[in-house]
């Protein structure tokens, strides 16, 4: 790639793919301070010629890996970062946009069921031998145990029993606890949550109008009770609140990024994570209703940037920031999203198509119906295993074949896609047609690289604070 790319502002850049480096190319009349006395046009021409000579025609493409082994999956079980338990599928609210509500059809029917401690203990006892393989266990020997719903506070009995059992075991790992809650029952159990230092993610969509889709079973608003409970937690345990409590807001047609952040920041001193409605698993008959509620989060963040909310802590929550992290990780040598990324960055021999997590590498998700999944953000139609009265049944062969089948269909696309280093697609979210899976994000590098580079260079030129934030947060090697 020896082409020079021009941004909408007229600036030119040269990208050397073999070095994964970008260089500013001054045009006639432009100069760049290089700390030298020579900045004239002759020098710039020599500099450009030298840079072009450094480029290699060799195309760096990945060697696709499409198969996991049983040993790899077992290692993931030992190293999993989070054990996530759906303690109930019941909820005391009836949020109009709920991912388990009337708009969606890719989940098990919600029956108000509560998970039993016997089921949880069966899974823990199955995992204990893996966790005792201390040579395998990594990530600081800490496993996050998440309690999920429905509304998890409806089954506090199970939560207490689970924590007591985990803390009675002698293991080379330790546990931290987290929960996403609507906070409607927070006043009844906040002392225990504080005692166990729960990382709480509270769902709140802003002020009364913004939160108006989050209603009780009888259709009444939940806003007043939730705000009162959260305020009580902040007043009674201010240090805990500051360290362990965060907010999550869903963006829709009754709120905005600006108003949501403004309310939660003024009321509780926190900046929420704001995300759009779930677009996976929508029932076609409900799509029109979904579209009425949907609001584009990128556009809403743009509106917030034009307000007085443009502060560093707000900037971190911008989805464009996360996209920029991926771009810099993929295209700029020496910058990495994580230490893990830095370690594996030049390992192209075992590249796995798409951005799909390896099975159970990040999470083990147990549903209230005893199904086992690698994540809670996917449909519940294809479990990788289950738990019954006889124990844990993990079908390693089924898991291997499921991933292999989808990866094999995609490898020819992934190997030529401009986004192969930082793809955000999960195989569980792929669109299926006639038994074949299709990736909506596919962009052939031969056609899209220039457009792709220009898009992010435009972003960096117009919002330089984003680069400052990314450079500060990312790992430098």
């Amino acid at each position: 790639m020896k082409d020079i790319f021009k941004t909408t502002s007229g600036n030119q850049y040269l990208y050397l793919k073999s070095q994964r480096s970008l260089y500013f190319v001054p045009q006639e009349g432009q100069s760049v301070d290089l700390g030298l006395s020579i900045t004239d046009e002759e020098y710039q021409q020599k500099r450009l010629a030298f840079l072009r000579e450094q480029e290699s025609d060799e195309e760096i493409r990945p060697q696709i890996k499409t198969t996991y082994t049983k040993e790899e999956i077992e290692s993931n079980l030992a190293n999993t970062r989070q054990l996530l338990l759906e303690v109930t599928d019941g909820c005391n609210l009836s949020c109009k946009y709920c991912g388990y509500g009337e708009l969606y059809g890719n989940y098990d029917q919600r029956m108000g069921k509560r998970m039993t401690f016997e089921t949880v203990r069966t899974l823990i006892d199955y995992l204990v031998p893996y966790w005792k393989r201390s040579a395998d266990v990594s990530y600081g020997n800490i496993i996050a145990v998440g309690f999920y719903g429905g509304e998890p506070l409806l089954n506090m009995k199970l939560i207490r029993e689970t924590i007591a059992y985990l803390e009675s075991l002698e293991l080379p790992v330790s546990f931290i606890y987290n929960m996403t809650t609507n906070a409607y029952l927070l006043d009844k159990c906040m002392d225990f949550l504080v005692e166990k230092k729960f990382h709480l993610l509270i769902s709140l969509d802003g002020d009364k109008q913004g939160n108006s889709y989050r209603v009780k079973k009888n259709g009444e608003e939940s806003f007043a009770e939730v705000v009162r409970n959260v305020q009580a937690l902040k007043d009674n345990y201010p240090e805990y609140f500051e360290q362990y409590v965060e907010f999550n807001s869903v963006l829709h047609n009754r709120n905005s990024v600006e108003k949501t952040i403004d309310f939660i920041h003024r009321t509780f001193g926190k900046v929420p994570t704001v995300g759009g409605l779930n677009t996976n698993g929508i029932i076609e008959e409900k799509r029109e209703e979904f579209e009425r509620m949907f609001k584009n989060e990128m556009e809403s963040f743009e509106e917030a940037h034009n307000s007085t909310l443009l502060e560093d802590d707000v900037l971190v929550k911008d989805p464009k920031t996360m996209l920029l992290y991926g771009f810099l990780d993929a295209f700029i040598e020496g910058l990495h999203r994580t230490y893990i990324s830095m370690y594996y960055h030049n390992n192209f021999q075992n590249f796995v198509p798409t951005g799909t997590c390896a099975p159970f590498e990040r999470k083990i998700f147990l549903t209230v119906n005893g199904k086992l999944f690698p994540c809670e953000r996917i449909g519940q139609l294809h479990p990788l295993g289950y738990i019954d009265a006889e124990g844990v049944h993990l079908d390693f062969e089924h898991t291997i074949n499921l991933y292999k089948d989808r990866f094999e269909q995609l490898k020819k696309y992934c190997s030529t896609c401009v986004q192969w280093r930082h793809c955000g697609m999960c195989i569980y979210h792929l669109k299926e047609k006639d038994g074949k899976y299709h990736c909506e994000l596919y962009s052939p590098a031969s056609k899209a690289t220039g457009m792709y580079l220009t898009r992010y260079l435009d972003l960096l030129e117009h919002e330089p604070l984003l680069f400052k934030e990314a450079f500060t947060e990312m790992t430098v090697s």
Side-chain angles (χ1 to χ4, degrees):
M1 183 192 308
K2 297 184 179 181
D3 294 332
I4 292 178
F5 302 100
K6 182 178 291 188
T7 62
T8 56
S9 61
N11 290 321
Q12 296 183 145
Y13 298 85
L14 173 68
Y15 181 70
L16 304 183
K17 69 176 185 299
S18 61
Q19 299 182 37
R20 294 177 46 244
S21 301
L22 273 168
Y23 297 90
F24 175 68
V25 179
Q27 301 181 66
E28 184 176 355
Q30 283 184 313
S31 63
V32 57
D33 184 6
L34 302 173
L36 303 171
S37 59
I38 305 174
T39 59
D40 57 19
E41 184 176 347
E42 180 181 2
Y43 172 79
Q44 297 298 345
Q45 291 298 324
K46 290 181 178 179
R47 172 176 173 267
L48 181 59
F50 173 78
L51 291 174
R52 287 181 181 274
E53 289 174 1
Q54 309 310 305
E55 176 66 310
S56 168
D57 291 327
E58 182 181 354
E59 181 72 14
I60 301 176
R61 304 309 305 175
Q63 298 296 313
I64 299 293
K65 166 188 169 70
T66 61
T67 303
Y68 293 111
T69 65
K70 180 182 178 182
E71 290 72 25
E72 286 176 314
I73 298 174
E74 289 185 315
S75 179
N76 290 343
L77 290 171
N79 285 277
T80 194
R81 303 176 213 180
Q82 184 171 2
L83 174 62
L84 188 59
L85 306 171
E86 186 182 42
V87 299
T88 178
D89 63 7
C91 189
N92 43 11
L93 299 186
S94 185
C95 303
K96 297 297 185 183
Y97 55 70
C98 177
Y100 297 119
E102 62 182 24
L103 299 180
Y104 301 89
N106 61 342
Y107 58 87
D108 290 340
Q109 186 176 2
R110 317 306 277 178
M111 303 292 291
K113 187 176 181 180
R114 297 188 181 189
M115 184 180 288
T116 66
F117 174 64
E118 288 70 24
T119 300
V120 175
R121 183 172 58 189
T122 298
L123 178 58
I124 292 173
D125 289 346
Y126 175 84
L127 292 171
V128 162
Y130 289 108
W131 291 339
K132 286 185 176 180
R133 288 162 47 172
S134 57
D136 288 344
V137 176
S138 60
Y139 305 117
N141 290 352
I142 297 175
I143 296 174
V145 180
F147 298 96
Y148 186 77
E151 170 50 45
L153 293 182
L154 288 170
N155 198 357
M156 278 301 299
K157 179 177 181 293
L158 172 65
I159 293 172
R160 292 174 185 271
E161 289 175 324
T162 300
I163 291 176
Y165 186 61
L166 287 170
E167 294 181 351
S168 73
L169 301 173
E170 295 184 4
L171 295 170
V173 299
S174 57
F175 302 97
I176 59 174
Y177 309 110
N178 62 63
M179 176 191 297
T180 299
T181 177
N182 59 38
Y184 193 81
L185 298 173
L186 187 60
D187 58 322
K188 301 181 184 303
C189 52
M190 67 171 68
D191 295 344
F192 178 79
L193 299 178
V194 172
E195 175 191 348
K196 296 301 179 181
K197 298 181 179 178
F198 263 76
H199 293 261
L200 281 188
L201 185 62
I202 296 175
S203 299
L204 183 67
D205 294 348
D207 59 16
K208 185 175 182 179
Q209 170 66 14
N211 203 64
S212 58
Y213 278 131
R214 303 185 60 81
V215 296
K216 293 180 276 188
K217 296 293 186 182
N218 60 6
E220 295 179 356
E221 293 181 349
S222 63
F223 178 78
E225 292 94 331
V226 169
V227 170
R228 182 174 62 247
N229 287 342
V230 177
Q231 188 63 54
L233 179 64
K234 182 181 180 183
D235 292 343
N236 292 330
Y237 299 101
E239 293 183 4
Y240 167 83
F241 190 90
E242 176 63 27
Q243 186 173 354
Y244 291 97
V245 176
E246 299 294 340
F247 289 82
N248 179 68
S249 305
V250 176
L251 185 66
H252 47 71
N253 63 334
R254 293 184 182 177
N255 64 3
S256 68
V257 168
E258 179 179 351
K259 290 182 178 179
T260 300
I261 292 177
D262 180 62
F263 174 80
I264 293 177
H265 191 263
R266 281 190 294 105
T267 309
F268 300 114
K270 299 279 186 174
V271 175
T273 299
V274 183
L277 296 174
N278 178 18
T279 59
N280 184 43
I282 302 166
I283 299 172
E284 284 305 316
E285 291 78 9
K286 297 289 185 177
R287 186 165 293 279
E288 185 176 342
E289 183 177 353
F290 171 86
E291 295 293 344
R292 286 198 301 269
M293 298 173 66
F294 182 82
K295 179 180 285 188
N296 186 292
E297 60 184 297
M298 290 290 192
E299 293 177 1
S300 195
F301 264 98
E302 287 290 347
E303 295 170 0
H305 278 209
N306 294 328
S307 74
T308 57
L309 288 170
L310 187 55
E311 303 173 1
D312 286 348
D313 51 359
V314 177
L315 198 64
V316 177
K317 306 291 185 177
D318 193 323
K320 288 190 300 185
T321 306
M322 298 309 298
L323 291 174
L324 182 62
Y325 288 173
F327 166 74
L328 295 173
D329 188 26
F331 283 91
I332 307 300
E333 186 67 40
L335 286 177
H336 309 279
R337 300 178 72 176
T338 65
Y339 286 106
I340 296 173
S341 169
M342 180 171 63
Y343 181 78
Y344 287 109
H345 208 82
N346 292 318
N347 180 15
F348 305 133
Q349 301 305 310
N350 291 299
F351 173 77
V352 177
T354 73
T356 307
C357 305
F360 305 122
E361 177 186 33
R362 293 180 180 271
K363 295 180 185 178
I364 301 170
F365 176 44
L366 173 64
T367 74
V368 72
N369 293 314
K371 295 181 178 180
L372 290 165
F373 295 92
C375 182
E376 81 284 8
R377 297 180 180 178
I378 62 180
Q380 297 184 355
L381 303 179
H382 303 289
L384 302 184
Y386 63 93
I387 295 176
D388 61 16
E390 297 179 358
V392 176
H393 307 269
L394 265 183
D395 192 336
F396 291 100
E397 183 176 356
H398 165 72
T399 300
I400 291 168
N401 290 334
L402 184 151
Y403 283 76
K404 181 179 180 181
D405 176 61
R406 299 191 187 186
F407 286 156
E408 284 288 339
Q409 292 186 45
L410 294 169
K411 68 178 183 180
K412 64 180 179 180
Y413 300 106
C414 293
S415 63
T416 60
C417 183
V418 69
Q419 302 183 84
W420 69 271
R421 279 192 176 98
H422 68 297
C423 177
M425 178 58 73
C426 171
I427 59 171
Y428 287 95
H429 293 163
L430 292 169
K431 302 296 182 183
E432 183 180 4
K433 183 178 180 180
D434 300 327
K436 300 293 183 181
Y437 294 96
H438 305 273
C439 181
E440 297 177 327
L441 300 182
Y442 175 63
S443 301
S446 58
K447 298 180 180 179
T449 301
M451 176 186 67
Y452 199 75
L453 288 169
T454 301
R455 179 197 311 167
Y456 283 98
L457 289 170
D458 275 337
L459 177 61
L460 287 168
E461 287 185 348
H462 287 97
E463 299 187 43
L465 283 176
L466 284 177
F467 180 76
K468 176 185 176 183
E469 178 61 40
F471 192 84
T472 301
E473 293 293 323
M474 294 182 75
T475 302
V476 181
S477 65

